[in-house]
Amino acid sequence: MATRADSKRGATVTRLPTARNSDTGEIPRKASFGRRIRKKFRLFSVRAGMDLPFFFLVLTLMVIGLIMLFSSSYAYAYYNYGNSYYFIIRQAGFAVAGIFIMVAISYFDYHHLHKLAIPILLVTYMLLVLVLFMPERNGVRRWIYLGPVNFQPSEIAKFALVLIFAHLISINFKRMSTFRYGVLPYLLILGSIAVLVLLEKHVSATLILVALAGVMLFIGGVQLRWFAIAFGVLGAAVAYIVLFSAKFGYASDRISGWLDPFGTTVDTWQTRQSLMSIGSGGLLGLGLGQSRQKYLYLPEPQNDFIFAVVCEELGFIGALLIVILFAMLVWRGITVSLKAKDKFGMLLGIGLTVQVGLQVILNIAVVTNTIPNTGISLPFFSYGGSSLMILLAEMGVVLSISRTSTIEKT
């Protein structure tokens, strides 16, 4: 300990010894502060560990989804491709790659997505415009083809919308009650994306985007009167379409088929076969692999209507257990997100989790003819490699958020 005399006051000042580097003798300046900064902005880190219940729920649904995909698709695959394993081999490969991606992203610090929100939105706009120039498939343009791989830009649009909304709301959280910061920018972003997706004739994706935007704005603190106005406009639009559906051609057929699925005025073959599959399953089902409707009666059973095969083979009990697993996944994801350490993580996690829940609800509603038939895939179950990988990547973001969440992770 060293001392020195103060020349002006004659007092003795005691200086505490300063830690020095034993090798160089240099005094480390703000070392601990520097370590905190580097740790905060580290691109990849373990942090407090990911949420294991959420992780295992994803894996459980993934495994069940692969089993049901194979069961529902092998007859169709053999008839059309001469290989019963055509779909399952490809989906399993994408699933394995997607799980690796999910785990890798879970180590990625989600705060860096703040800087990527606007670039990802701009890339999404480019893809949504590009897809309009792609070749038609079944009368619609939804896929961009890159050799043997194709993907739907609308899947990326869902993530981009959630990300940009989380980014802007977290920045303007205290001003969300105003029209300029709480309504206008989100209305412009949602409107522009929705118009481009509608041009693809992808109504189901548009519905999901609108619902996602509404959930995030509600959590963000937008005043309720704007929701009342939005519901009024939406209700008037739906009523107009129903009352004057003859003017809308494509939409008219869907509505007519929904109101009378066993009628003869429009082609409702897929809906009919779906309802017969569900009905024949009964309480306990016909048994795994024993579906009859998948033998070329139900069109493309590995895609949007795979839940009908689930009901037929596993029955009401099996289908209910799967719905419960989805509900547990959504509940856990929202719980993890609510305990995130910042508003950005909370909004981002809730948005990505709610997206899964919305798709499940809408898919089951279509399969059971609760709403008009429109193409909505069932997460983790429906065939589609690129969609599955995007979904697993989004689950990886939720797991990344869980690494700093204060929730118990075991």
Side-chain angles (χ1 to χ4, degrees):
M1 184 178 295
T3 60
R4 67 180 177 86
D6 190 306
S7 58
K8 295 182 179 180
R9 298 180 182 179
T12 301
V13 179
T14 302
R15 292 188 304 174
L16 297 175
T18 304
R20 295 175 179 269
N21 187 296
S22 58
D23 296 325
T24 63
E26 295 178 355
I27 301 174
R29 296 180 178 180
K30 300 181 181 179
S32 60
F33 177 75
R35 283 194 295 271
R36 289 198 300 269
I37 293 296
R38 287 195 297 273
K39 184 176 180 181
K40 180 179 179 181
F41 293 99
R42 190 177 298 166
L43 193 61
F44 293 93
S45 62
V46 176
R47 286 160 283 170
M50 66 180 176
D51 186 64
L52 292 180
F54 187 86
F55 176 70
F56 285 117
L57 281 168
V58 170
L59 292 185
T60 300
L61 285 167
M62 186 74 265
V63 171
I64 297 174
L66 289 174
I67 293 172
M68 293 310 306
L69 175 67
F70 176 61
S71 178
S72 64
S73 67
Y74 65 78
Y76 181 86
Y78 183 78
Y79 182 81
N80 288 278
Y81 300 97
N83 180 7
S84 299
Y85 303 96
Y86 179 84
F87 293 110
I88 186 61
I89 290 176
R90 286 163 173 75
Q91 190 81 342
F94 281 111
V96 171
I99 290 172
F100 277 107
I101 292 173
M102 177 179 68
V103 174
I105 291 178
S106 77
Y107 288 100
F108 176 78
D109 190 342
Y110 67 91
H111 293 97
H112 292 279
L113 291 174
H114 259 306
K115 298 176 290 186
L116 300 176
I118 294 178
I120 289 176
L121 180 64
L122 295 177
V123 171
T124 300
Y125 280 128
M126 293 172 57
L127 294 174
L128 290 174
V129 172
L130 178 62
V131 75
L132 299 178
F133 298 93
M134 291 289 109
E136 283 192 1
R137 180 179 174 183
N138 298 327
V140 297
R141 292 185 173 91
R142 297 180 184 175
W143 293 268
I144 291 179
Y145 301 92
L146 299 174
V149 179
N150 59 77
F151 67 95
Q152 298 185 52
S154 58
E155 296 293 332
I156 300 175
K158 297 171 189 175
F159 174 72
L161 182 82
V162 171
L163 177 58
I164 192 66
F165 272 41
H167 170 69
L168 294 176
I169 293 174
S170 62
I171 292 175
N172 301 306
F173 192 78
K174 294 183 179 179
R175 297 182 287 184
M176 289 298 292
S177 59
T178 65
F179 176 79
R180 178 179 178 182
Y181 294 100
V183 177
L184 183 59
Y186 311 99
L187 187 62
L188 293 176
I189 294 171
L190 174 63
S192 57
I193 293 178
V195 168
L196 290 172
V197 174
L198 278 175
L199 291 176
E200 304 175 14
K201 296 182 181 179
H202 203 172
V203 178
S204 59
T206 307
L207 292 174
I208 293 173
L209 288 167
V210 171
L212 275 175
V215 169
M216 298 197 67
L217 290 176
F218 178 77
I219 297 173
V222 173
Q223 294 184 348
L224 294 179
R225 71 170 182 267
W226 295 111
F227 290 99
I229 294 172
F231 280 123
V233 173
L234 184 61
V238 172
Y240 182 79
I241 292 174
V242 172
L243 293 174
F244 303 97
S245 58
K247 296 182 179 181
F248 294 91
Y250 178 79
S252 173
D253 291 342
R254 292 296 177 94
I255 293 173
S256 299
W258 169 53
L259 296 175
D260 186 15
F262 291 95
T264 58
T265 56
V266 296
D267 182 14
T268 58
W269 178 264
Q270 192 173 39
T271 301
R272 295 180 193 178
Q273 299 304 315
S274 174
L275 294 175
M276 285 189 283
S277 296
I278 295 171
S280 62
L283 184 64
L284 300 177
L286 302 179
L288 184 62
Q290 301 303 311
S291 167
R292 294 187 289 261
Q293 301 304 121
K294 68 185 178 185
Y295 288 98
L296 308 183
Y297 292 102
L298 181 63
E300 298 193 18
Q302 75 281 359
N303 284 332
D304 300 341
F305 280 75
I306 190 173
F307 191 73
V309 178
V310 171
C311 293
E312 185 178 8
E313 295 189 348
L314 304 183
F316 174 79
I317 299 298
L320 179 61
L321 290 175
I322 290 174
V323 171
I324 291 174
L325 284 174
F326 274 116
M328 291 173 63
L329 179 75
V330 172
W331 170 81
R332 188 66 183 184
I334 292 176
T335 303
V336 166
S337 303
L338 286 174
K339 294 184 178 293
K341 69 177 184 178
D342 56 10
K343 290 183 174 64
F344 176 66
M346 178 194 71
L347 290 163
L348 184 60
I350 290 178
L352 295 177
T353 305
V354 168
Q355 176 191 329
V356 176
L358 286 173
Q359 284 197 215
V360 172
I361 292 171
L362 292 176
N363 177 269
I364 294 176
V366 167
V367 170
T368 57
N369 200 44
T370 306
I371 63 174
N373 188 351
T374 181
I376 300 177
S377 61
L378 183 63
F380 304 111
F381 282 70
S382 296
Y383 176 72
S386 58
S387 298
L388 178 61
M389 292 183 68
I390 293 173
L391 174 62
L392 289 172
E394 291 173 346
M395 297 302 96
V397 174
V398 178
L399 289 172
S400 175
I401 295 169
S402 76
R403 290 186 181 276
T404 55
S405 176
T406 58
I407 194 172
E408 178 65 35
K409 300 180 175 65
T410 57

